[in-house]
Each structure stands twice: as C-alpha cells, then as structure tokens.
Amino acid sequence: MTFVVILMLVVTQVIGIVQRSWVRANSRVSQFREARMAFDVMTRNLSQATLNTYWENQFDPLGFDAAQQELKKAKNYVRRSELQFICGPTTSLLTQAASSAQNYPAHAVFFQAPLGITNLTVSNSSSQANTENMVNLMCGRGYFVEWGSDASFRPPFLASLSSVPVRNRMRLMEYSPTAEMNKIYDSSLRPLVDNQTGTNNGKKWFNVGNYSALSSIVTSNEQVATRAFTRPVAENILALIISPQQEVIGNGSTQPYAIAPNYAWDSTLTTQPGASSNSNNPQGTQHLLPPLLKVTMVALDQASGDLLSSDEQLRKDVLGQISSMFKTASKFSQEIEGTDDNPSDLQKVLVAKKLNYRVFTTTIAMKQARWSL
C-alpha cells in the first residue's frame, strides 16, 4: 500500500507538470497564430511580385531625311518595365510617416503582383468592363507596421460601451488597392522607364491622393463600393524587416546583402543606396527584382501588447530603440539573431522591458527576378 501511494503521488506530479507544460505551449502557439497566418500570407504575396521586364531597342540619332523624318540607328538592347518594386525604411517610403517616425518602425515594401483584387461590383453601364472574374489582374500591394488605435474600424456598437476602450496597438498593415485603382498606371504617378531624364515619380503611386497607403484606411461603415485600401492584418507586430539579397554559393568573398547594404531597393535605380556600381553594366539593377528576399517579422504576445499600450513611456523607449535599428544589413545578425553568448540587440531591449516576443523569418526566392536579362 505504501509503494502504491508513493507511485500515485509521483504519477500525479508528473501529470501535473505535463499538463502545465501543455497549457503553456498551447497558449504560446495560440498567442502567435494571427502573426503566423499574416506572415504566411505576406510572404506568399511577395513571392508573386513582378516587374514584367522586357527588352527594348536603344537608338542613336542619324539626322533627318528629305521629308524631315528622324533617322535612327539601333544601338543595343535595354531593359524596360512600367512597374516597380520598392522597399526600405518606412519613413523614407511613406511621406506622411516622416513626421512621426517612432510610429512607423523598421521597413515597408510596395510592389506589383497578379493578385486579381477587383472592385467586385457589377456595373449596368455598357461602357464599364466587368473585371470580377479576372483573377490575374495586376494589383499594387504593400506592407508596413504602424502604431495606432482601432477607433476608425472598430465595430459601431462598441462606441456606446465605455467598458471597451479604444485599443492602441502595433499592427501589420496591408495596402491592397483594387486592380481598377492601381495608380501605377496613372501617367502623372508612373515611375520612370528611363531614369536618365525627367522626374522619378516612383513613390507617388502609393503616396498621393485619397487612395494613398496612409489615407485610405478601413472604416467600420465601409461598403463594397467604398472599400478602403489599407487595413490591419495582424496586431502586436513590432517590426517588419525586408532585406534584398543575392545568391553567393561558390563566392565566399561576396556578402548576400551586398546588392542592398542599406536594406533599400528601388527597381527604377541603376545602383541601390550604399551598393557598389558596376561600370561593365550601365543599367545595373534597374528594372530587376532582387533574386532573394529575406523577410523577418517581430511579434509580441497579447500581454506584452497590452503592456506596451498602457505604458506610454515604455512604448516610446522600445519604439525609439527599434527605430534606430535595421539601417545597415551587415548588422542583421547582431540586431536580430545574436548568439548563445551574446544576445541580439533586439533581445536585450525586449527582455529588459519584460516583453515576450517571437521572430518569424524566411528567405523567399523571387520567381520573377529574371537576372539573366
């Protein structure tokens, strides 16, 4: 009997330990489920980014013929694209974010992809095409992290309930205009095809007018015909880091981030900020996607999100330190990964503030990179 009692006590303790461990693990998984789903959707959409790059003749003028028609001689082929892929610090991409930099930490990315998001309303007018079933139409898309409240898009019935206050959170925002409202096709907002002449409007298609990424925010009373283009896809997202990279297999002297050492990429530029130019290739990276895209997202659990929301000084301290990171790609390991002996800069900040977090990271092979062109 004594042996059985002792055995039962041991079994009871083991079951209790296992149960507590399972509850903690299940709670941790459920806490980050929303972030994981948003991360999967974002990376899947990024993998479909395209520039539709093509070759075009470049000509040298020869003068004019007797009828005053200009004569030209084909000189060589050059890459061309009417689309754009751009990423970098959020405050450098979104003009309205520059005045409140701490509310927009880390990076943003804007691109074009055949996602087929349309207006979803059928017009009776014979002059308007019905695009509802055109699932491969080209759409603009963008992602960035923003600090703000849910006042504009919370359910209307909550407005009368004082027991449910406005929620201030760090959120992953998705910019998703319909194909009909893809402003990259607007002649006044289109990025340059040839960056040697004219004004580069490369950041205007997601920055200008009522349909910009920071102006067209989802509201609680929106309808299909008045659909806003920017909406939250996950809460408690602290930072988004986008690092364009290249393959370096067999070339140990080249770093993968060398093509975008400042995390910035603009497909309209021949040389990315901070990168070395190539005199043998006058077009450089113009009208090209990066071959690889390393995407990292830092998410907080619900308790940490509540703490960040309730303590303004804590939020300013954390976001201030986060905003000072992710400027130089060579520091990625030091700032995010760290080692067993030397924790990362991010870990030092968040652990010191008692914030529980998780880092999601993956490297995407860009299917439409076309570096052979």
Side-chain angles (χ1 to χ4, degrees):
M1 290 293 293
T2 302
F3 177 77
V4 171
V5 169
I6 294 174
L7 182 61
M8 291 295 291
L9 289 173
V10 172
V11 170
T12 301
Q13 290 180 350
V14 171
I15 291 175
I17 293 172
V18 171
Q19 184 179 26
R20 288 192 296 273
S21 299
W22 182 86
V23 169
R24 284 196 298 268
N26 185 63
S27 176
R28 184 177 179 85
V29 169
S30 62
Q31 287 279 9
F32 295 107
R33 183 180 292 119
E34 179 183 303
R36 184 182 299 106
M37 292 174 61
F39 186 74
D40 290 343
V41 170
M42 176 177 61
T43 53
R44 184 168 61 250
N45 289 337
L46 275 166
S47 69
Q48 299 181 65
T50 185
L51 292 175
N52 280 349
T53 307
Y54 59 91
W55 287 113
E56 185 177 87
N57 276 319
Q58 191 175 45
F59 298 92
D60 276 341
L62 294 177
F64 297 88
D65 61 14
Q68 294 302 306
Q69 298 285 338
E70 186 179 8
L71 300 176
K72 295 184 293 184
K73 178 181 69 173
K75 181 172 61 173
N76 55 23
Y77 287 106
V78 291
R79 286 191 303 270
R80 290 287 185 260
S81 173
E82 284 74 36
L83 306 180
Q84 184 183 30
F85 180 96
I86 185 169
C87 66
T90 305
T91 51
S92 69
L93 268 58
L94 296 175
T95 54
Q96 298 177 45
S99 59
S100 53
Q102 285 193 350
N103 292 342
Y104 299 91
H107 302 159
V109 57
F110 293 89
F111 57 97
Q112 305 288 323
L115 300 173
I117 306 299
T118 64
N119 200 24
L120 297 181
T121 57
V122 179
S123 172
N124 294 325
S125 171
S126 60
S127 63
Q128 182 175 349
N130 177 10
T131 58
E132 186 173 357
N133 296 316
M134 298 183 181
V135 295
N136 292 319
L137 287 176
M138 195 67 66
C139 297
R141 186 60 59 93
Y143 294 94
F144 59 95
V145 172
E146 177 186 46
W147 164 264
S149 74
D150 63 350
S152 65
F153 51 82
R154 67 197 326 238
F157 71 88
L158 291 180
S160 59
L161 299 177
S162 58
S163 59
V164 184
V166 172
R167 286 167 59 90
N168 291 288
R169 289 290 187 277
M170 296 294 300
R171 296 182 176 90
L172 177 67
M173 307 295 287
E174 179 185 68
Y175 175 63
S176 176
T178 59
E180 297 90 342
M181 297 304 297
N182 191 355
K183 291 299 182 178
I184 202 164
Y185 295 116
D186 188 318
S187 59
S188 64
L189 307 178
R190 180 190 298 277
L192 288 179
V193 173
D194 182 352
N195 73 339
Q196 300 302 316
T197 59
T199 302
N200 193 344
N201 296 323
K203 299 177 184 178
K204 286 189 175 181
W205 61 270
F206 54 85
N207 263 314
V208 175
N210 295 328
Y211 300 103
S212 69
L214 294 184
S215 296
S216 180
I217 306 294
V218 61
T219 60
S220 58
N221 60 351
E222 78 169 19
Q223 299 177 0
V224 173
T226 59
R227 175 186 178 273
F229 297 154
T230 301
R231 58 192 64 240
V233 292
E235 285 192 343
N236 301 319
I237 306 302
L238 191 60
L240 175 66
I241 302 100
I242 308 290
S243 178
Q245 298 189 350
Q246 62 183 338
E247 289 278 5
V248 293
I249 297 176
N251 188 359
S253 61
T254 302
Q255 296 294 337
Y257 52 77
I259 57 175
N262 297 341
Y263 289 112
W265 186 276
D266 184 346
S267 61
T268 67
L269 302 180
T270 57
T271 304
Q272 303 307 321
S276 301
S277 59
N278 185 353
S279 58
N280 297 323
N281 183 4
Q283 277 202 281
T285 57
Q286 188 181 35
H287 306 313
L288 289 176
L289 291 171
L292 302 173
L293 207 63
K294 188 169 186 176
V295 182
T296 304
M297 189 175 77
V298 182
L300 300 175
D301 66 6
Q302 188 62 45
S304 298
D306 291 338
L307 182 60
L308 206 66
S309 174
S310 61
D311 190 333
E312 182 178 1
Q313 187 57 50
L314 173 65
R315 175 176 61 85
K316 289 182 177 180
D317 290 344
V318 171
L319 295 188
Q321 294 184 69
I322 295 295
S323 297
S324 66
M325 299 180 190
F326 316 125
K327 307 293 186 183
T328 306
S330 61
K331 296 181 180 179
F332 178 86
S333 179
Q334 171 191 335
E335 293 176 335
I336 285 286
E337 297 171 342
T339 63
D340 293 339
D341 298 328
N342 185 21
S344 67
D345 295 344
L346 179 71
Q347 182 178 353
K348 292 176 183 177
V349 171
L350 299 184
V351 170
K353 303 298 183 181
K354 297 181 172 58
L355 298 176
N356 187 27
Y357 72 100
R358 184 168 180 180
V359 176
F360 299 87
T361 187
T362 188
T363 300
I364 305 169
M366 304 298 283
K367 303 173 185 176
Q368 301 294 325
R370 309 298 174 101
W371 276 53
S372 60
L373 292 180

